[in-house]
Amino acid sequence: MIDLRALRDSPDAVRASQRLRGEDEGVVDAVLAADERRRTALSDFERVRGEQKAHGKRVAQAAGEEKQALVAAAKDLSAQVKQLQAAAAEAEAEVEELLRSVPNLVADGVPPGGEDDYIVLEEVGTPRDFAAEGFEPRDHLELGELLGAIDMGRGAKVSGARFSFLTGAGARLELGLMQYAMARAVEWGFVPVVPPTLVTPQMMGGTGFLGAHAEEVYRLDADDLYLVGTSEVPLAGFHADEILDLRGGPLRYAGWSTCYRREAGSHGKDTRGIIRVHQFTKVEMFSYVPAAEADAEHQRLLAWEREVLDAVEVPYRVIDVAAGDLGTSAARKYDCEAWVPTQGRHRELTSTSSCTTFQARRLGIRERTAEGSTTPVATLNGTLATTRWLVAILENHQREDGSVVVPAALRPYVGLDVLEPVRR
RNA sequence: GGAGGCGUCGCCUAGUGGUCUAUGGCGCCCGCCUGCUAAGCGGGUUUGGGGUGAUACCCCAUCGCGGGUUCAAAUCCCGCCGCCUCCGCCA
């Protein structure tokens, strides 16, 4: 949720942000009008409520007939209070609802436009020239089947489309990758966390996932809980309604979790293999920092992502995501996309978002200021590893015989130097 | 799943319908006093919001959360959540 006071102060900044995102600007005037009504209604209620309280004290001290008369008058006041309170609550709710519908303010410098209007910041590494090496690369699923690592058929049998089994070398590679990412995060000072993956509507809404993309999340109707699509949700909720002490530096957590996504809007897209599945695992970084340090922390998260990408030795590029493709909560987002040889294009492996104070406002996460008051913190998140990374690792490190060389950094965690085809 | 108990400010705690502004202590902050770190004295110390874009002042809400009863609710009633004790069931 954006800052109501900031919207009052500079409505044009909010309008500009909405334009950049391709969203409705009219909401700004609607909020301003609703806020005006809210403040009037609140003043009315508070004035009469004050009268009622003062009157109540006189009732308490009176006795006999005098008391009877005072109670009669109190009934009238009580009726008024009830009505004014309801009106104030309604006005309050209206502002709240409108304000919640506004996505985060886009940061300065974010490229305008939609999904295809990203800016490439940097390209790292060089794709292998398989033609020069004299063989046609196999795609990740073909390799996965050769290696006994990925089983989509049985995934579909047991759970339906877009579900897979990782078996043998596939399971070892996945677990090794996650362990490696987690070990690095711990080395950088992150607190490792295994969070719950079922969360309340408050947490899902507070992190911004029940807005435009609500149809992407699984909901358990019987329990009114949601399955998280990322551990960002429980890691943000971890400190909900708390006042943090950030004088000693940012609070950083690295969550490992299974993630669930309905992929409702992507029918027919990436149906082969494990590029886009309903369930995968992920190691996610999450930082709580003073609002003024958000940009600096964002750069640090990006740098840490790149360290792990470098360690798995796949070519990748860094993009600055355009305004129209930011999530509800993000003010700025950088993605790292790995080269996938058989697709001849880059695919997202990591994504780091600065949510500035947007999530913190909704979730009530503040810090104590030097003056003694409280102020919302900034929250940021970034990917350190996901199941999708297996796609890039398998394809980029394959050999002509179908074996796959495990990146050196992962070998101690995977327990294998080379993944070999299995006999059937 | 069943029975009982509990939930008050950072911590502990008093408070069974109105009696001043929810007690009191610890801790913490400010000041005074004091011949070193102690003691004593005085004041302050939840959070959110409104007046109001204000470090002062005034007001409203806030006693786990949400409803209800009442002129009036921390207090009475209902639902939910959490913790503790016990019972049952289960990996």
Side-chain angles (χ1 to χ4, degrees):
Chain A
M1 167 156 64
I2 65 167
D3 184 6
L4 177 58
R5 185 152 289 177
L7 182 145
R8 280 209 294 256
D9 288 350
S10 36
D12 283 339
V14 183
R15 290 192 188 98
S17 173
Q18 290 292 90
R19 262 199 307 282
L20 270 174
R21 283 179 175 270
E23 301 263 350
D24 172 33
E25 289 178 53
V27 72
V28 173
D29 289 319
V31 170
L32 287 172
D35 182 48
E36 202 59 48
R37 287 194 295 277
R38 160 183 158 268
R39 285 191 286 169
T40 303
L42 204 54
S43 289
D44 290 346
F45 158 67
E46 289 182 353
R47 195 187 62 249
V48 180
R49 175 66 171 152
E51 283 175 34
Q52 184 192 29
K53 284 176 71 168
H55 190 78
K57 289 189 181 107
R58 290 196 289 276
V59 174
Q61 284 161 358
E65 274 185 33
E66 189 193 359
K67 182 157 187 162
Q68 295 310 310
L70 287 172
V71 166
K75 285 188 184 181
D76 183 49
L77 270 177
S78 175
Q80 280 188 58
V81 165
K82 209 165 195 172
Q83 188 201 334
L84 291 170
Q85 183 167 33
E90 193 181 329
E92 181 92 49
E94 196 186 342
V95 172
E96 170 96 4
E97 191 189 338
L98 280 167
L99 205 56
R100 274 180 176 268
S101 75
V102 182
N104 200 0
L105 294 182
V106 174
D108 285 341
V110 169
E115 192 177 351
D116 301 322
D117 298 311
Y118 56 82
I119 290 175
V120 177
L121 298 176
E122 196 175 341
E123 305 239 14
V124 180
T126 310
R128 280 166 64 183
D129 185 347
F130 286 97
E133 292 183 40
F135 73 99
E136 189 73 21
R138 297 177 169 91
D139 85 351
H140 79 276
L141 182 55
E142 193 178 346
L143 288 165
E145 286 172 343
L146 270 175
L147 300 169
I150 301 172
D151 189 335
M152 297 304 296
R154 291 196 174 96
K157 176 174 73 180
V158 171
S159 302
R162 293 196 193 280
F163 283 95
S164 69
F165 279 88
L166 294 180
T167 54
R172 294 177 77 174
L173 187 57
E174 157 115 343
L175 290 170
L177 173 65
M178 297 297 152
Q179 286 270 48
Y180 173 75
M182 196 52 106
R184 296 303 304 272
V186 169
E187 177 188 313
W188 298 323
F190 284 80
V191 176
V193 177
V194 179
T197 53
L198 285 169
V199 299
T200 62
Q202 290 73 32
M203 294 305 144
M204 214 62 185
T207 41
F209 289 101
L210 292 184
H213 304 289
E215 73 285 355
E216 269 300 293
V217 299
Y218 286 102
R219 177 164 182 275
L220 300 188
D221 193 50
D223 301 285
D224 199 17
L225 290 169
Y226 291 90
L227 276 163
V228 301
T230 162
S231 58
E232 171 190 345
V233 177
L235 291 176
F238 190 67
H239 284 303
D241 297 318
E242 293 182 22
I243 298 169
L244 307 178
D245 183 357
L246 298 180
R247 285 172 303 181
L251 293 178
R252 298 194 178 103
Y253 300 95
W256 170 87
S257 79
T258 306
C259 304
Y260 302 90
R261 300 190 181 178
R262 295 188 64 232
E263 298 298 347
S266 52
H267 295 298
K269 215 157 98 181
D270 298 319
T271 50
R272 184 172 163 81
I274 59 169
I275 284 261
R276 189 181 295 276
V277 284
H278 289 309
Q279 176 190 325
F280 58 95
T281 61
K282 178 152 73 98
V283 173
E284 177 89 346
M285 299 180 283
F286 195 90
S287 301
Y288 297 87
V289 304
E293 290 174 35
D295 289 345
E297 182 71 1
H298 204 188
Q299 293 302 321
R300 283 189 286 266
L301 293 183
L302 178 58
W304 282 320
E305 288 180 345
R306 294 181 54 171
E307 278 208 41
V308 181
L309 282 163
D310 290 339
V312 301
E313 301 172 60
V314 296
Y316 67 94
R317 66 181 188 182
V318 183
I319 68 169
D320 194 352
V321 174
D325 200 25
L326 296 171
T328 302
S329 299
R332 185 162 213 155
K333 179 158 85 170
Y334 302 112
D335 285 358
C336 293
E337 302 179 322
W339 178 253
V340 177
T342 62
Q343 296 196 355
R345 63 183 183 124
H346 292 89
R347 301 304 306 259
E348 177 189 325
L349 288 200
T350 72
S351 182
T352 177
S353 295
S354 171
C355 299
T356 58
T357 57
F358 186 85
Q359 290 177 330
R361 268 176 220 287
R362 290 188 177 199
L363 293 170
I365 309 168
R366 298 143 292 163
E367 66 165 325
R368 187 72 64 184
T369 64
E371 296 77 40
S373 57
T374 66
T375 188
V377 303
T379 59
L380 300 97
N381 61 78
T383 320
L384 226 42
T386 70
T387 301
R388 188 187 270 182
W389 286 42
L390 303 194
V391 174
I393 292 170
L394 292 176
E395 292 205 13
N396 283 291
H397 293 290
Q398 66 178 296
R399 297 191 295 202
E400 189 168 7
D401 63 359
S403 65
V404 172
V405 178
V406 177
L410 297 188
R411 286 174 202 162
Y413 296 88
V414 176
L416 295 167
D417 293 350
V418 177
L419 312 182
E420 300 284 359
V422 294
R423 292 171 201 282
R424 271 173 270 184

